[in-house]
């Protein structure tokens, strides 16, 4: 079985391939594109870092490719849609560089506090001025940590050890978990106004794009220092340069930029108060060895034993069992995504019940898929099958699995119940004919709806005229109804749930008009 390695990998990782019987290692770091298209033709595995672009052209040339191992976290250079189309498993190594990333953040913070890069340059240029580089202590100062996932949490722990006061803003993390870390959970505006240092540890998505812009930077504590070793695009770089130039922000330390490498006219590059490093948060000898060894073991385990670990496009399960239970994964993920868009934030407990035939299969990977669906609407593309359980646990959300042989009239049933803010909401789904997904219950309401596309979920008083009003409003907005499911809780006059599948996104003003009707208690748009 040929394993093609097209980017540099540590000797420790290469040795694992070389010492595994049946594995033929083809180590070609830096191979040109045309050469790579030839080399991939008979490879069963491809191991890459960030240097190789694994696009549709490469997949087309790969006749025998079964698995891609990405040595590192990011998979921006791998076309996951093309991988899915070809049935190629894509794995990454999510845990090999977390400590290194956290330590780089602290190193940048300390360098920023004590003006170390500027002082270094001055001495090498023949200077010896001490007063120019007067810095600040970090002990007793307040650090604001935005996002307390794996890396953010490590930063919190280390900052507490350095005697800093730590504030955390993470709406998906329970206050109890934050208290256990020795930090204080606060809102975003409060974090901005109280923090002497701010460090970002969130994914880049529509909610976090330019999280620190002209308006939010105006709210930071005067003299605040900002560190970003997470994602480029979280900061409006022009606005940050203005805030530093005006003296409102004392300085910044940046390992990432919106465009990498940054353009020569980027105003931040011209400021002495800004420390820049070239996206090296994971660049330590220890991390590179850990990542190389981890990816090698994962690829070997897949090729020799059919074991899937840390996969981004399929849950971890044996290759033989995957086709049989894949529909249940898909159903579980849909239920998670559906519930996430209906439920309030601040989840405290998740209960997953597997009933009927589905209870006979391994449920742990199905739970991974469900939690991915549940967390993805909240945290964006950073969530995958691998890290979903860890992200859930890190946020103090209790996850309970229950198995039951009775499936309430169905051959199989998956029920998801979430608890948040004193509320308890449940949704259940089933497979018909072993492949057709249906949502069959919402709380106490029984129905049958296909979990696909744009779905309006309405809770309304069950009285004449409501359905007609809904149809009229959607028709006037030129929104076509593809399917409608209605379920009463009791007799007429009680509450009813309507699931309406429409052909296009419903505009916000149309949703507002629906919510304004006296008999419509809630109207939520869900994307599945």
């Amino acid at each position: 079985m040929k394993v093609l390695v097209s980017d540099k990998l540590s000797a420790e990782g290469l040795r694992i391939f070389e010492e595994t019987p049946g594995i033929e290692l083809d180590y070609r770091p830096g191979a040109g594109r045309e050469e790579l298209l030839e080399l991939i033709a008979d490879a069963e595995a491809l191991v890459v870092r960030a240097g190789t672009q694994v696009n549709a052209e490469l997949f087309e040339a790969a006749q025998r490719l079964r698995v891609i191992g990405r040595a590192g976290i990011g998979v921006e250079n791998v076309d996951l849609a093309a991988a899915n189309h070809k049935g190629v498993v894509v794995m990454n190594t999510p845990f090999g560089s977390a400590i290194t990333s956290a330590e780089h953040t602290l190193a940048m913070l300390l360098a920023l506090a004590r003006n170390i890069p500027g002082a270094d340059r001055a001495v090498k240029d023949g200077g010896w001025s001490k007063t120019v580089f007067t810095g600040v202590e970090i002990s007793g100062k307040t650090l604001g940590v935005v996002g307390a996932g794996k890396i953010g949490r490590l930063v919190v722990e280390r900052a507490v050890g350095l005697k800093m006061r730590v504030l955390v803003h993470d709406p998906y993390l329970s206050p109890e978990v934050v208290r256990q870390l020795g930090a204080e959970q606060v809102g975003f505006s409060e974090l901005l106004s109280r923090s002497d240092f701010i460090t970002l540890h969130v994914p880049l998505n529509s909610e976090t794009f330019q999280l620190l812009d002209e308006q939010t930077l105006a709210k930071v504590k005067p003299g605040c220092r900002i560190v970003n070793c997470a994602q480029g695009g979280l900061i409006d770089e022009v606005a940050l340069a203005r805030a530093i130039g005006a003296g409102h922000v004392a300085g910044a330390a940046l390992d990432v930029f919106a465009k990498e490498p940054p353009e020569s006219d980027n105003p931040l590059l011209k400021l002495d108060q800004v420390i820049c490093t070239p996206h090296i948060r994971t660049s330590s000898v220890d991390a590179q060895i850990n990542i190389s060894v981890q990816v090698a073991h994962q690829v070997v385990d897949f090729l020799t034993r059919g074991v899937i670990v840390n996969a981004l496009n399929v849950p971890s399960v044996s290759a033989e069992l995957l086709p049989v239970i894949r529909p249940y994964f898909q159903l579980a993920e849909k239920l998670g995504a559906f519930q996430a868009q209906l439920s309030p934030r601040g989840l405290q407990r998740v209960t997953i019940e597997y009933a009927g035939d589905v209870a006979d299969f391994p449920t742990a990977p199905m739970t991974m898929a469900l939690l991915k669906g549940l967390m993805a609407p909240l945290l964006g593309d950073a969530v995958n099958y691998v890290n979903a359980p860890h992200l859930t646990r890190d946020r103090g959300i209790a996850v309970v699995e229950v198995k039951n042989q009775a499936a309430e009239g169905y051959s199989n049933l998956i029920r998801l119940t979430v608890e948040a803010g004193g509320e308890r909401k449940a949704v259940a789904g089933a497979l018909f004919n072993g492949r057709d997904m249906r949502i069959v219950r919402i709380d106490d309401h029984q129905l049958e709806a296909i979990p696909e596309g744009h779905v309006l979920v309405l809770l309304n008083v069950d009285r004449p005229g409501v359905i007609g009003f809904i149809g009229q409003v959607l028709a006037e907005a030129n929104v076509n109804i593809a399917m409608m499911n209605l379920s009463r809780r009791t007799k007429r006059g009680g509450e009813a749930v309507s699931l309406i599948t429409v052909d296009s996104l419903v505009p916000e003003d149309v949703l507002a008009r629906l919510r304004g009707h006296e008999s419509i208690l809630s109207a939520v748009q869900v994307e599945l």
Side-chain angles (χ1 to χ4, degrees):
M1 294 173 286
K2 176 179 170 179
V3 176
L4 174 62
V5 180
S6 59
D7 291 315
K8 289 184 178 180
L9 209 66
S10 76
E12 290 83 354
L14 296 173
R15 192 175 302 121
I16 292 170
F17 291 124
E18 291 169 344
E19 295 177 352
T20 301
I23 297 291
E24 174 195 347
L25 174 64
D26 191 358
Y27 186 46
R28 301 293 186 96
R33 192 65 183 177
E34 293 303 318
E35 182 183 4
L36 195 58
L37 291 173
E38 294 180 8
L39 294 170
I40 196 68
D42 60 344
E44 294 192 38
L46 172 65
V47 178
V48 301
R49 294 187 65 83
T52 301
Q53 293 300 313
V54 190
N55 56 16
E57 179 188 32
L58 200 64
F59 280 110
E60 185 65 29
Q63 301 302 311
R64 302 177 61 187
L65 191 63
R66 297 161 56 198
V67 61
I68 293 173
R70 167 63 164 97
I73 298 176
V75 288
E76 297 85 357
N77 57 315
V78 180
D79 187 335
L80 288 177
N84 292 337
H85 181 72
K86 290 279 286 188
V88 176
V89 175
V90 180
M91 304 175 177
N92 72 344
T93 53
F95 308 118
S97 58
I99 291 175
T100 289
S101 297
E103 289 183 353
H104 188 63
T105 299
L106 267 296
M108 294 282 271
L109 187 150
L110 288 164
L112 184 62
R114 298 305 301 270
N115 299 311
I116 290 174
D120 173 73
R121 288 193 301 269
V123 171
K124 290 176 179 177
D125 290 340
W128 196 255
S129 174
K130 298 180 182 180
T131 56
V132 174
F133 301 107
T134 301
V136 296
E137 291 184 353
I138 65 168
S139 178
K141 297 297 193 301
T142 299
L143 172 65
V145 179
V146 182
K150 182 72 171 179
I151 297 171
R153 177 175 295 196
L154 291 172
V155 170
V156 171
E157 292 172 348
R158 283 151 178 76
V160 169
L162 291 168
K163 307 303 181 184
M164 299 188 79
R165 301 187 187 96
V166 182
L167 307 178
V168 169
H169 172 67
D170 190 326
Y172 311 112
L173 197 66
S174 71
E176 179 58 30
V177 171
V178 176
R179 282 194 296 271
Q180 290 174 0
L181 291 172
E184 178 186 354
Q185 175 82 289
V186 297
F188 186 52
S189 294
E190 184 176 351
L191 181 143
L192 295 178
S193 64
R194 290 176 55 187
S195 298
D196 300 299
F197 295 84
I198 294 173
T199 178
L200 305 179
H201 299 282
V202 293
L204 180 64
N205 54 41
S206 59
E207 289 187 16
T208 61
F209 175 70
Q210 295 192 351
L211 185 67
L212 294 181
D213 57 12
E214 192 165 359
Q215 291 182 329
T216 51
L217 286 168
K219 298 177 182 179
V220 303
K221 183 178 180 178
C224 176
R225 292 168 170 84
I226 295 169
V227 179
N228 183 16
C229 297
Q231 295 283 334
L234 298 176
I235 299 175
D236 181 336
E237 294 169 359
V238 174
L240 177 59
R242 287 200 197 102
I244 293 172
H248 183 62
V249 173
L254 308 173
D255 186 54
V256 290
F257 292 84
K259 182 177 181 181
E260 295 182 350
E263 300 284 358
S264 59
D265 60 351
N266 187 314
L268 292 171
L269 303 184
K270 299 176 175 62
L271 297 174
D272 292 335
Q273 303 96 316
V274 178
I275 300 171
C276 303
T277 54
H279 207 138
I280 59 172
R281 66 181 181 221
T282 63
S283 297
S284 73
V285 172
D286 307 87
Q288 299 314 306
I289 292 174
N290 292 340
I291 288 169
S292 297
V293 169
Q294 186 179 351
V295 75
H297 278 306
Q298 289 175 197
V299 170
V300 166
D301 285 345
F302 177 83
L303 293 176
T304 60
R305 299 192 292 130
V307 175
I308 301 174
V309 179
N310 291 345
L312 299 176
N313 57 344
V314 292
S316 299
V317 68
S318 71
E320 292 78 12
L321 188 59
L322 181 61
V324 179
I325 58 177
R326 186 189 295 272
Y328 291 110
F329 295 151
Q330 296 169 334
L331 173 62
E333 187 170 348
K334 292 283 189 181
L335 292 175
F338 182 84
Q339 189 70 286
Q341 295 173 73
L342 286 183
S343 303
R345 295 181 176 182
L347 297 178
Q348 297 164 321
R349 184 182 176 89
V350 172
T351 302
I352 308 161
E353 179 184 354
Y354 298 101
D357 296 344
V358 66
D360 296 330
F361 295 111
T363 55
M366 297 181 206
T367 296
M368 293 171 64
L370 187 147
L371 294 176
K372 175 180 180 290
L374 186 66
M375 301 303 289
L378 310 178
L379 300 177
D381 294 339
V383 184
N384 55 54
Y385 296 110
V386 179
N387 64 14
H390 302 280
L391 293 172
T392 306
R393 185 175 61 249
D394 287 348
R395 279 153 179 77
I397 303 170
V399 179
V400 178
E401 285 188 21
V402 178
K403 290 188 177 182
N404 192 344
Q405 292 303 313
E408 303 175 19
Y410 299 93
S411 61
N412 60 82
L413 189 79
I414 301 176
R415 188 197 318 274
L416 168 62
T417 305
V418 299
E419 298 173 38
E423 294 185 56
R424 194 168 183 271
K425 293 185 175 296
V427 60
L431 286 181
F432 294 174
N433 302 318
R435 63 182 183 276
D436 296 328
M437 294 181 288
R438 297 290 188 273
I439 293 175
V440 296
R441 284 206 173 84
I442 297 178
D443 295 327
D444 297 331
H445 299 273
Q446 188 166 349
L447 40 74
E448 185 180 320
I450 299 173
E452 292 288 348
H454 309 286
V455 181
L456 283 179
V457 183
L458 298 145
L459 178 65
N460 59 273
V461 178
D462 184 22
R463 63 175 57 155
V466 178
I467 300 302
F469 171 75
I470 295 169
Q472 178 184 351
V473 170
L474 294 178
E476 290 175 357
N478 199 33
V479 176
N480 190 51
I481 295 176
M483 186 181 303
M484 185 169 186
N485 295 272
L486 174 67
S487 175
R488 289 174 169 175
R489 176 175 290 170
T490 59
K491 296 180 180 179
R492 196 178 87 183
E495 291 180 357
V497 164
S498 301
L499 262 66
I500 305 171
T501 304
V502 294
D503 289 342
S504 58
L505 196 67
V506 178
E508 278 299 322
D509 61 327
V510 177
L511 286 174
R513 187 178 172 193
L514 290 172
R515 293 171 185 142
H517 192 281
E518 61 181 2
S519 295
I520 296 180
L521 306 177
S522 67
V524 179
Q525 184 162 222
V526 173
E527 298 295 308
L528 295 170

